[in-house]
Amino acid sequence: MEDEKWYWRTLWGTTAFFVLLPLCLKRLIVPYGRHVRRGWGPTMAARDGWVLMESPALWASFIVFVMGDHHTHTIPLCLFRFFQLHYVHRTLIYPFRIKEENKGMPIAVIASGFLFNFINAYLQARWISHYGVYPSDWLSSPKFLLGSTVFFVGLVTNIWADSVLLSLRQNSEDRSYKVPKGWLFEFVTCPNYAAEILEWLGWAILTWSPAGLVFALASAGNLIPRAVSHHEWYQKKFSDYPQKRRAIIPFVL
Ligand SMILES: NC(=O)c1ccc[n+]([C@@H]2O[C@H](COP(=O)([O-])OP(=O)(O)OC[C@H]3O[C@@H](n4cnc5c(N)ncnc54)[C@H](OP(=O)(O)O)[C@@H]3O)[C@@H](O)[C@H]2O)c1
């Protein structure tokens, strides 16, 4: 009972801190990548920073998952594989594709990313292997099928869009920015962020969980304002930046 109270308090705290607070501070743009700026303390190499801050989503979620009462059941095991699939890529593959690996990332940003991933790993894994109750036909239910389709469309599009961006630089010395072109980039500046939000929306549907919903909202609360800032940054830097392109939602925003 104490454990369950603790779970719900953590979920509400996460909603307040990572969903509602960013809405109030909607112009606080996290200082990494093109928005890195002075005044945020010491930095470390971005590649190491990505591995470190995303890693709790792998190891902490695994520890919490195996502590759950249902961790050997087929449905929790299947759901957990979706989560791990994303984070094996984000933690162990994506950082090694960044060309300009020595660019600094503030340790404060890495620490807050680490904290978010640690709490989120607990919320998602604890739900799946302990508090979530799924009927035996869940894996053929419309919610699971719809959610998993949305999740995979988001995952594949996110990886594709990140690959396009990462290919714009020639080598590890190249620090320049170019205008990305082609397919979804003709509609929005940040298809990688749009796809990431879609992916976690799919996760919220396929797990049909409050934790999944909070994660999807936290991702949107973080990535939508950042996409708007990226968009304004491109418009200032490139006088010929395509006028019809929007920040993150085609034809709308
Ligand atoms: N779920 C969440 O809340 C969350 C939060 C943050 C990130 N993410 C995901 O993590 C991934 C990376 O995020 P990010 O914020 O680093 O994305 P980003 O700003 O789009 O940058 C992605 C990579 O491409 C490079 N790049 C971007 N635009 C470029 C251009 N025009 N010319 C040359 N290089 C360019 C960036 O270099 P620089 O770093 O030098 O700019 C960076 O290495 C994305 O898939 C995102 O969805 C998820």
Side-chain angles (χ1 to χ4, degrees):
M1 198 57 203
E2 265 308 302
D3 177 77
E4 193 166 350
K5 258 193 215 159
W6 173 245
Y7 181 85
W8 287 103
R9 278 182 196 155
T10 310
L11 191 74
W12 287 120
T14 304
T15 310
F17 201 74
F18 291 103
V19 180
L20 300 178
L21 190 65
L23 277 179
C24 302
L25 304 172
K26 58 183 174 212
R27 296 312 292 186
L28 176 73
I29 300 306
V30 185
Y32 71 88
R34 79 197 62 197
H35 302 294
V36 78
R37 48 199 185 270
R38 282 166 191 262
W40 286 84
T43 62
M44 67 187 277
R47 175 174 291 173
D48 300 340
W50 274 103
V51 174
L52 191 60
M53 76 177 167
E54 301 293 325
S55 67
L58 284 180
W59 57 262
S61 69
F62 179 77
I63 294 169
V64 173
F65 183 83
V66 296
M67 287 167 71
D69 283 354
H70 316 304
H71 77 275
T72 54
H73 297 186
T74 307
I75 296 169
L77 278 168
C78 175
L79 301 184
F80 190 52
R81 282 191 187 126
F82 281 76
F83 191 75
Q84 291 268 305
L85 179 65
H86 174 92
Y87 280 107
V88 165
H89 171 261
R90 178 66 71 232
T91 311
L92 302 177
I93 299 174
Y94 173 77
F96 298 94
R97 301 184 68 209
I98 297 174
K99 290 228 177 70
E100 219 267 88
E101 71 259 33
N102 292 324
K103 187 167 186 168
M105 187 186 257
I107 290 172
V109 171
I110 297 163
S112 63
F114 184 96
L115 180 69
F116 174 78
N117 280 307
F118 186 80
I119 296 170
N120 192 47
Y122 163 70
L123 290 174
Q124 308 305 324
R126 189 70 177 155
W127 180 270
I128 295 168
S129 77
H130 197 75
Y131 294 123
V133 178
Y134 295 97
S136 58
D137 61 352
W138 182 252
L139 299 183
S140 56
S141 69
K143 281 175 193 145
F144 176 79
L145 295 176
L146 173 70
S148 49
T149 305
V150 172
F151 179 92
F152 275 113
V153 170
L155 178 74
V156 171
T157 310
N158 173 261
I159 294 173
W160 166 80
D162 276 343
S163 301
V164 171
L165 293 170
L166 293 171
S167 70
L168 294 173
R169 289 193 180 132
Q170 305 303 319
N171 52 52
S172 61
E173 310 301 314
D174 185 0
R175 292 189 168 204
S176 66
Y177 286 92
K178 299 173 188 74
V179 176
K181 293 195 173 106
W183 197 38
L184 292 175
F185 284 99
E186 301 307 321
F187 296 95
V188 290
T189 295
C190 299
N192 55 339
Y193 290 174
E196 176 104 18
I197 296 168
L198 198 67
E199 202 180 333
W200 296 119
L201 181 68
W203 169 254
I205 299 170
L206 79 94
T207 58
W208 207 249
S209 62
L213 180 64
V214 168
F215 186 19
L217 291 175
S219 298
N222 179 12
L223 295 176
I224 293 174
R226 192 169 179 83
V228 172
S229 292
H230 272 28
H231 190 66
E232 290 170 356
W233 180 92
Y234 276 110
Q235 286 174 322
K236 270 193 206 133
K237 187 167 175 67
F238 300 99
S239 55
D240 57 345
Y241 196 68
Q243 300 237 328
K244 284 190 180 161
R245 204 176 284 192
R246 294 285 177 262
I248 187 161
I249 306 172
F251 313 110
V252 179
L253 177 71

